[in-house]
Amino acid sequence: MKSRKLYNRISVLRKERNISRKELAESIGVNIQTVGYLEREEYNPSLDLAFKINEYFGLPIELIFSPEPLKPLSEEIIELKNKIGGEK
Amino acid sequence: MKSRKLYNRISVLRKERNISRKELAESIGVNIQTVGYLEREEYNPSLDLAFKINEYFGLPIELIFSPEPLKPLSEEIIELKNKIGGEK
DNA sequence: ATAAAATGTTGCATATATACAACAAACCAT
DNA sequence: ATGGTTTGTTGTATATATGCAACATTTTAT
């Protein structure tokens, strides 16, 4: 199926929480290099691994992974604020 | 990583919408047998394929796939109704 | 009742994800 | 400045997802 490259926010989320790759890798039960590959977006996680990552961070899959390049979280926040402001 | 078996609602969603496997397979760009394997839960989709499926149905990934066995949608509705009713 | 379409299943080939080991480079601490 | 942790990277091996072909079984329409 020639699968698309997917984008993710793993490294950002990891840094926000001050977690090392080693910690994350052990928590989700994969090799540390696997986390490296994922952060560099050199390959896509399996769906199961994506679920483990979203369980670990407590966030929906769509917030962590996307077929479209991901904006910085800071930008998303501004856009959401504008959207809410505009509705009033 | 010995990945977990995941559960999904593909066949239910497909029937709700009266779509054949062939139609679904062509729409998401995979082989018809691949849809069969997924519906029988003989293997998990890649994350990319999961995204294509959720784009096709217009539903979040978590509503279609889950690491836990999925209840019938009808039951979920009852539970949601109870939850809303109880909040009043 | 028959044919056509849809589904189930299997086998083999290929692509992709993951494990694991090794090592270099960058980054903190003291 | 030295050493320890973290990160980046690469190579090889294995597991898993997907493609594709073939055929049996079930369902649907006429």
Side-chain angles (χ1 to χ4, degrees), chain A residues 44-60:
Chain A
N44 302 333
S46 64
L47 181 55
D48 182 33
L49 183 48
F51 268 114
K52 284 185 185 148
I53 294 170
N54 95 313
E55 284 160 11
Y56 180 81
F57 286 117
L59 297 170

Side-chain angles (χ1 to χ4, degrees), chain B residues 25-44:
Chain B
E26 283 166 4
S27 305
I28 60 182
V30 295
N31 197 274
I32 186 174
Q33 280 85 346
T34 298
V35 175
Y37 277 110
L38 295 179
E39 291 194 354
R40 278 174 266 129
E41 294 168 340
E42 286 185 28
Y43 57 53
N44 301 332

Side-chain angles (χ1 to χ4, degrees), chain A residues 1 14 20-21 32-33 37 40:
Chain A
M1 182 200 50
R14 191 167 60 72
S20 73
R21 277 194 188 163
I32 185 174
Q33 279 87 345
Y37 278 108
R40 276 175 267 128

Side-chain angles (χ1 to χ4, degrees), chain A residues 20-32 35 56:
Chain A
S20 73
R21 277 194 188 163
K22 189 151 171 284
E23 271 180 276
L24 176 57
E26 283 168 4
S27 305
I28 60 182
V30 295
N31 197 274
I32 185 174
V35 175
Y56 180 81

Side-chain angles (χ1 to χ4, degrees), chain A:
Chain A
M1 182 200 50
K2 182 88 190 76
S3 90
R4 295 173 293 183
K5 174 208 173 97
L6 300 180
Y7 302 86
N8 72 72
R9 289 185 166 125
I10 299 175
S11 66
V12 178
L13 294 172
R14 191 167 60 72
K15 274 175 194 143
E16 275 190 341
R17 289 154 207 232
N18 269 314
I19 299 159
S20 73
R21 277 194 188 163
K22 189 151 171 284
E23 271 180 276
L24 176 57
E26 283 168 4
S27 305
I28 60 182
V30 295
N31 197 274
I32 185 174
Q33 279 87 345
T34 298
V35 175
Y37 278 108
L38 295 178
E39 291 195 354
R40 276 175 267 128
E41 293 168 341
E42 286 186 30
Y43 56 52
N44 302 333
S46 64
L47 181 55
D48 182 33
L49 183 48
F51 268 114
K52 284 185 185 148
I53 294 170
N54 95 313
E55 284 160 11
Y56 180 81
F57 286 117
L59 297 170
I61 288 191
E62 283 90 347
L63 191 62
I64 307 182
F65 300 96
S66 167
E68 309 297 332
L70 287 158
K71 299 169 202 153
L73 286 168
S74 47
E75 277 188 37
E76 293 238 352
I77 289 176
I78 300 302
E79 288 177 17
L80 282 172
K81 284 194 172 173
N82 288 339
K83 202 177 286 184
I84 295 170
E87 268 178 10
K88 279 187 201 157

Side-chain angles (χ1 to χ4, degrees), chain B residues 51-63:
Chain B
F51 269 114
K52 284 184 186 149
I53 294 170
N54 95 314
E55 285 160 11
Y56 179 81
F57 286 117
L59 297 171
I61 288 192
E62 283 90 347
L63 190 62

